[in-house]
Amino acid sequence: MSPVLTTALVPGEQKGAYWRDALGRALVPVSVVPDKESSFRGRIVTDRIGGLRVTTVEADAQRVRRTAAHIKRSPEPFVAVGVQTTGRTVLAQNGHEGTAGPGDLFVYGTARPCLMDNPEPFSLRVVYIPRRMLALTDDELDGVMGRVMSTRRGCAAVLKPFILTVVASAHKYLPSASGGLANGLVDLFSTLVAEQMEAKAQGDGSTGNHLVARVREFIDQNLGDPALSPESVAKAHNISVRYLHRLFQDEGITVSRLIQRRRLEKCARELARRGRTTPTVSAVAQRWGFVNPTHFSRAFRGAYGLSPREWRSVRLQA
């Protein structure tokens, strides 16, 4: 049975204090201002799916703030991905602000100050992903922190029902299924981040031209080729290397760094994947274009703070 915290049986004068403590214990430390202290109604159901924390929150109007002081009390950072089921959530973080209505998806991080205002009774379902489980850079995550997204199309349309089902049924899954569901959800969220970055690039006239998009697609299709390089990319598109570098001046990354980053992301995801047969670290590295094992290990640790073997162990244990 999933743990349930509710104000239903708490005396009126204690409801507000109980709810503040409940949110801090079930989710992360925050300050809460309920709309009506003595008559406040709130309910939290928490559970786990593999290494993920999942929760359903139903409550009256409230205002929640997470500050630097709260962050210091939280040893592990999480990325929260939520679906608004009823009511509204006004979310502000990382310079972004948006209002999530029923059916919308929103993202925020627990390692940054955050404001969530619920001006009316609401309900939502949230998945908390440990930051260490995401093969994403801080820059990539910054692009979605504090964002509210429509779930009518794209990857968000796939992620929404997945989150709703997993959170609602978390207590029913066997441990053997939970790990696969957790990794599937992490991969779906990572795909959503990539989709959002691509949409942003295409919407920017200085960086979103068709040639840049074609180059990125070509790189992704040829990551396993050890000979993939700025020179081979330029040759494949009948342009000079100098012009290729000029195209990527506004992308915030060089072509060489992009190739390495995408290779490392593929390796990180494959190393974290469960299966009947587990490929060796060197086999995974070679599959995605890394010829030198020492160089691969050094680059992987530089990107994720762990060796490839440590990364695999942490993800599989989670």
Side-chain angles (χ1 to χ4, degrees), residues 154-260:
C155 190
V158 179
L159 189 55
K160 172 190 168 182
F162 196 177
I163 289 176
L164 293 177
T165 302
V166 166
V167 175
S169 307
H171 61 287
K172 299 180 181 179
Y173 299 121
L174 296 174
S176 56
S178 293
L181 288 170
N183 281 335
L185 200 151
V186 168
D187 287 343
L188 260 180
F189 173 70
S190 299
T191 304
L192 173 70
V193 174
E195 179 186 69
Q196 292 292 312
M197 290 186 63
E198 183 178 350
K200 181 181 178 183
Q202 290 179 351
D204 183 346
S206 64
T207 62
N209 60 68
H210 295 299
L211 184 53
V212 170
R214 291 211 316 270
V215 166
R216 285 181 173 273
E217 183 178 1
F218 177 86
I219 288 172
D220 280 347
Q221 291 175 346
N222 293 274
L223 290 173
D225 181 1
L228 184 65
S229 65
E231 289 74 17
S232 66
V233 172
K235 183 178 180 180
H237 291 84
N238 298 311
I239 59 176
S240 68
V241 175
R242 177 178 295 181
Y243 184 64
L244 176 66
H245 289 318
R246 191 182 308 161
L247 282 174
F248 275 76
Q249 281 180 351
D250 294 325
E251 293 291 294
I253 190 170
T254 65
V255 176
S256 296
R257 291 286 295 173
L258 176 62
I259 293 171
Q260 177 171 288

Side-chain angles (χ1 to χ4, degrees), residues 28-31 65-75 110-114:
V28 291
V30 291
S31 62
R65 186 182 297 275
R66 183 162 166 81
T67 66
H70 295 126
I71 294 169
K72 288 181 180 179
R73 291 157 50 194
S74 306
T110 66
R112 297 277 185 89
C114 178

Side-chain angles (χ1 to χ4, degrees), residues 3 15 56 87 104 107 113-114 225 253 263 268 276 308:
K15 288 183 184 293
T56 297
D104 288 337
V107 181
C114 178
D225 181 1
I253 190 170
R263 282 173 168 165
R276 292 184 179 180

Side-chain angles (χ1 to χ4, degrees), residues 7-122:
T7 61
L9 302 178
V10 179
E13 68 277 7
Q14 299 176 20
K15 288 183 184 293
Y18 174 87
W19 185 246
R20 293 185 187 92
D21 180 64
L23 279 181
R25 284 189 288 126
L27 308 180
V28 291
V30 291
S31 62
V32 188
V33 180
D35 188 35
K36 299 176 181 178
E37 290 262 351
S38 60
S39 61
F40 186 84
R41 295 175 300 172
R43 179 174 178 268
I44 305 174
V45 182
T46 60
D47 217 316
R48 285 189 176 273
I49 290 288
L52 312 181
R53 293 164 54 185
V54 299
T55 183
T56 297
V57 181
E58 302 166 352
D60 286 339
Q62 64 176 17
R63 189 178 181 86
V64 176
R65 186 182 297 275
R66 183 162 166 81
T67 66
H70 295 126
I71 294 169
K72 288 181 180 179
R73 291 157 50 194
S74 306
E76 182 174 22
F78 291 85
V79 175
V81 191
V83 175
Q84 192 81 25
T85 48
T86 63
R88 292 176 295 151
T89 296
V90 181
L91 173 65
Q93 186 179 54
N94 203 37
H96 304 144
E97 182 173 332
T99 301
D104 288 337
L105 185 144
F106 59 88
V107 181
Y108 66 92
T110 66
R112 297 277 185 89
C114 178
L115 175 65
M116 297 179 71
D117 185 15
N118 302 107
E120 60 203 35
F122 70 96

Side-chain angles (χ1 to χ4, degrees), residues 223-226 267 281-293 296:
L223 290 173
D225 181 1
C267 289
V281 170
S282 60
V284 172
Q286 290 177 9
R287 182 175 298 124
W288 294 108
F290 287 99
V291 178
N292 187 316
F296 169 63

